[in-house]
Amino acid sequence: MDQYSNCLYGLSPKMAVQSINRVGKSGYLQKDVLDRAAEVISDNLECISLNHILNLLIPYCVFDYVPASVPKFVDTCAEMILPFLEVLSLNHLLHLAYLLSLNGSFPEPLIRTIFSVEFLLKFDRQQINCISPKTKEINLHRLFLVNRSVVLQCPQYNIPWFHHDYSETFSHQGKYRNL
């Protein structure tokens, strides 16, 4: 166990990113790894690329885990992404909103972007042209979950509930599950 602890304290930013990715893929909450990786990344945030930040958020949001040493880690990572909303793909924006909603975080610029008419029209066009039915289902379900969360937890944003038909369809088909 001492060797394991020594490895954690010798983490470089690159190794911290890889460690977080492995924790996310394992599906097993490893608090000591997530805590130490959050410390290393917070101290070296300028070394982390925008592409990695979304992946960093996955285990923290899915496990709803707040690192003890860096309690604002998820918010800090989200703030790093917010200036670049216009360059992220629709899928990345939706995935980011979904992850942050799991964590109970609803940055207003992201929510306004996701529920703008422009975004929703692009999203509809993308869904029509989507080759994979599974990807289409995942994206629709994530949008549904984000919409529901925002409507219930952030009424000040005045986002309408627009997934009534979707929720009825999925409840009748028994397809409610986390995607």
Side-chain angles (χ1 to χ4, degrees):
M1 188 63 166
D2 292 332
Q3 292 173 343
Y4 180 65
S5 298
N6 290 338
C7 289
L8 284 179
Y9 288 99
L11 280 179
S12 66
K14 182 178 178 179
M15 290 300 293
V17 170
Q18 291 173 351
S19 298
I20 290 174
N21 287 337
R22 288 206 173 99
V23 169
K25 289 177 183 175
S26 76
Y28 178 71
L29 176 60
Q30 299 172 31
K31 293 180 181 183
D32 50 349
V33 174
L34 291 177
D35 283 341
R36 182 62 187 143
E39 285 178 35
V40 170
I41 289 170
S42 293
D43 292 342
N44 299 286
L45 212 47
E46 68 282 350
C47 299
I48 307 301
S49 75
L50 185 62
N51 294 332
H52 289 115
I53 292 179
L54 182 64
N55 291 333
L56 294 177
L57 291 172
I58 291 172
Y60 295 97
C61 295
V62 169
F63 293 130
D64 194 20
Y65 181 68
V66 178
S69 57
V70 190
K72 298 286 185 186
F73 180 71
V74 170
D75 294 334
T76 303
C77 288
E79 287 173 15
M80 291 279 300
I81 294 177
L82 292 179
F84 303 100
L85 293 179
E86 66 278 351
V87 298
L88 293 174
S89 72
L90 299 177
N91 289 340
H92 279 92
L93 286 171
L94 186 56
H95 194 199
L96 175 62
Y98 170 71
L99 287 173
L100 292 176
S101 72
L102 291 176
N103 202 47
S105 178
F106 303 95
E108 189 170 0
L110 176 62
I111 299 304
R112 296 279 177 220
T113 300
I114 294 289
F115 293 107
S116 70
V117 173
E118 179 184 347
F119 178 90
L120 293 172
L121 288 172
K122 286 180 186 176
F123 180 78
D124 283 343
R125 280 192 299 267
Q126 178 181 313
Q127 291 296 96
I128 290 169
N129 298 326
C130 187
I131 296 169
S132 166
K134 184 68 174 171
T135 301
K136 185 176 182 176
E137 183 180 326
I138 288 170
N139 285 340
L140 283 171
H141 196 68
R142 284 180 178 164
L143 185 62
F144 163 73
L145 292 173
V146 172
N147 182 239
R148 180 181 66 183
S149 295
V150 169
V151 167
L152 294 175
Q153 295 183 29
C154 301
Q156 68 274 19
Y157 291 167
N158 295 319
I159 302 296
W161 172 253
F162 60 83
H163 268 83
H164 186 278
D165 293 336
Y166 175 82
S167 63
E168 283 184 1
T169 301
F170 268 68
S171 65
H172 291 304
Q173 293 177 358
K175 288 191 174 184
Y176 272 120
R177 63 183 184 272
N178 273 339
L179 299 172

